[in-house]
Amino acid sequence: MSNIIDGKAVSAQVKERIRLETEKLKEQGIEIGLAVVIVGDDPASKVYVRNKKLACEAVGFTSYEYALPAETTEEELLDLVKKLNNDDKVNGILVQLPVPKHINDKVVIDNILPEKDVDAFHPVNVGKIMIGDYNFLPCTPAGVMELIESTGTDVAGKECVVIGRSNIVGKPQAMLLLHKNGTVTICHSKTKNLKEVCARADILVAAVGRAKMITSEYVKEGAVVIDVGMNRDENGKLCGDVDFEDCKDKAGFITPVPGGVGPMTIAMLMQNTLTAAKAQNGLL
Ligand code: NDP
């Protein structure tokens, strides 16, 4: 039986650390604000935005929520982003993706000030992550790193395999593991012998989006297995990319879905907002 990594507990520790630091900053007269902008009424996005608001309250940030109708034009959204860029009360800006199809999300991200881009999606921040000189960490991969650290595993010299090469998860994940001196392989839909490549991994991160694709044959005995996937199984139940029941006895450590990576993403967003506020107040 492997050790199950409790994402909720690790995320609670991270948020408590942030809450204490926020309290100290308040004593120095520094209030932290996060603006969350949502366009349209995608139900999943609404849930994420609500969770972000609750997390802000829990750590002592002020959250500014902007719920715009689906027919909002790109120009109107850019006007709001510019207003938030110039608002000193707002330390971090997050535009919930996806935005409706008539709005170009790249243009919107490009217009967020890199210093306030707490999702770390702006090309300047992506570039900084590439060269290892960064303040903002991409939230989901950063959460994965915290979970790996919580197991006491030292990434240096380990065989790390990341399945998935998206800009928001796979690629930055590989980069963060590389910065910690892992030997990193990135797999994707064209990878040959995926099973064999994965079975070499001391640390396996699955970010694919295919329910229960990773069975025990993909897992090396004792490996750390991190499941980023959020999918629905045949009964409509939330599940990951990893077949948890099949892998849990072979892995050394494994994250469940739900309760693994998910709670970490929002905790790392809070961390980035705190970092942004410190940097904007000359405290970094
Ligand atoms: P994308 O769809 O952008 O990327 C999926 C990646 O998986 C692609 O690189 C794709 O390869 C690869 N892939 C697809 N099929 C296979 C296959 N059969 N074998 C090997 N590789 C394959 O997804 P995201 O990165 O945005 O998200 C991945 C998963 O993580 C999703 O389930 C998403 O819901 C979840 N997620 C969870 C978060 C959380 O907070 N827990 C946050 C963000 C995402 P190719 O590039 O060749 O197409």
Side-chain angles (χ1 to χ4, degrees):
M1 179 74 187
S2 59
N3 292 300
I4 295 168
I5 305 172
D6 186 347
K8 277 192 198 155
V10 180
S11 134
Q13 283 164 16
V14 172
K15 282 193 277 189
E16 180 57 11
R17 203 170 69 204
I18 297 168
R19 191 186 68 76
L20 292 172
E21 223 179 310
T22 304
E23 221 167 64
K24 284 207 186 104
L25 290 174
K26 263 192 192 151
E27 286 163 15
Q28 299 172 44
I30 297 169
E31 297 268 347
I32 302 178
L34 173 66
V36 179
V37 182
I38 178 169
V39 187
D41 37 29
D42 176 56
S45 293
K46 278 186 164 173
V47 173
Y48 294 141
V49 168
R50 188 177 142 66
N51 288 340
K52 285 166 189 170
K53 194 176 166 191
L54 291 174
C56 280
E57 282 166 14
V59 298
F61 298 169
T62 306
S63 79
Y64 302 96
E65 200 184 315
Y66 296 85
L68 308 181
E71 55 277 11
T72 302
T73 64
E74 187 173 298
E75 204 185 346
E76 285 166 335
L77 179 56
L78 291 178
D79 281 346
L80 174 60
V81 167
K82 280 174 199 150
K83 196 181 110 202
L84 297 172
N85 280 340
N86 293 320
D87 185 342
D88 288 343
K89 291 197 298 302
V90 172
N91 302 107
I93 303 169
L94 181 149
V95 177
Q96 184 66 47
L97 301 179
V99 284
K101 284 197 172 59
H102 64 275
I103 297 176
N104 184 337
D105 54 4
K106 283 198 186 71
V107 173
V108 176
I109 290 165
D110 283 355
N111 275 277
I112 297 174
L113 267 185
E115 304 88 271
K116 294 192 177 186
D117 166 43
V118 285
D119 255 340
F121 289 165
H122 190 287
V124 165
N125 288 323
V126 174
K128 283 178 174 240
I129 290 157
M130 190 78 178
I131 58 175
D133 167 26
Y134 47 85
N135 282 334
F136 295 140
L137 300 160
C139 298
T140 300
V144 169
M145 297 308 286
E146 289 273 345
L147 292 177
I148 294 170
E149 203 182 309
S150 78
T151 67
T153 305
D154 182 7
V155 175
K158 297 283 190 315
E159 288 278 350
C160 306
V161 172
V162 179
I163 324 170
R165 57 173 164 180
S166 71
N167 288 329
I168 61 164
V169 189
K171 279 185 211 161
Q173 186 67 69
M175 211 45 67
L176 297 192
L177 288 162
L178 183 63
H179 290 324
K180 290 280 177 196
N181 297 315
T183 303
V184 185
T185 305
I186 307 175
C187 299
H188 45 79
S189 66
K190 308 287 184 293
T191 297
K192 294 209 167 75
N193 306 321
L194 182 68
K195 217 178 267 180
E196 288 75 13
V197 177
C198 292
R200 290 204 306 258
D202 302 307
I203 298 171
L204 179 64
V205 182
V208 185
R210 287 181 173 239
K212 301 184 190 175
M213 172 187 158
I214 306 302
T215 57
S216 58
E217 293 168 287
Y218 291 71
V219 173
K220 179 178 169 178
E221 191 82 45
V224 177
V225 178
I226 307 283
D227 190 356
V228 180
M230 287 210 294
N231 316 297
R232 297 276 163 193
D233 69 8
E234 58 285 3
N235 304 312
K237 218 176 128 209
L238 188 64
C239 73
D241 293 338
V242 176
D243 186 334
F244 183 83
E245 284 306 315
D246 192 39
C247 296
K248 71 178 185 333
D249 293 330
K250 199 168 181 191
F253 291 91
I254 186 166
T255 57
V257 177
V261 174
M264 291 306 296
T265 299
I266 290 184
M268 300 323 288
L269 174 69
M270 300 298 116
Q271 176 68 59
N272 281 348
T273 307
L274 172 66
T275 303
K278 282 163 66 178
Q280 287 157 32
N281 284 282
L283 297 173
L284 275 191

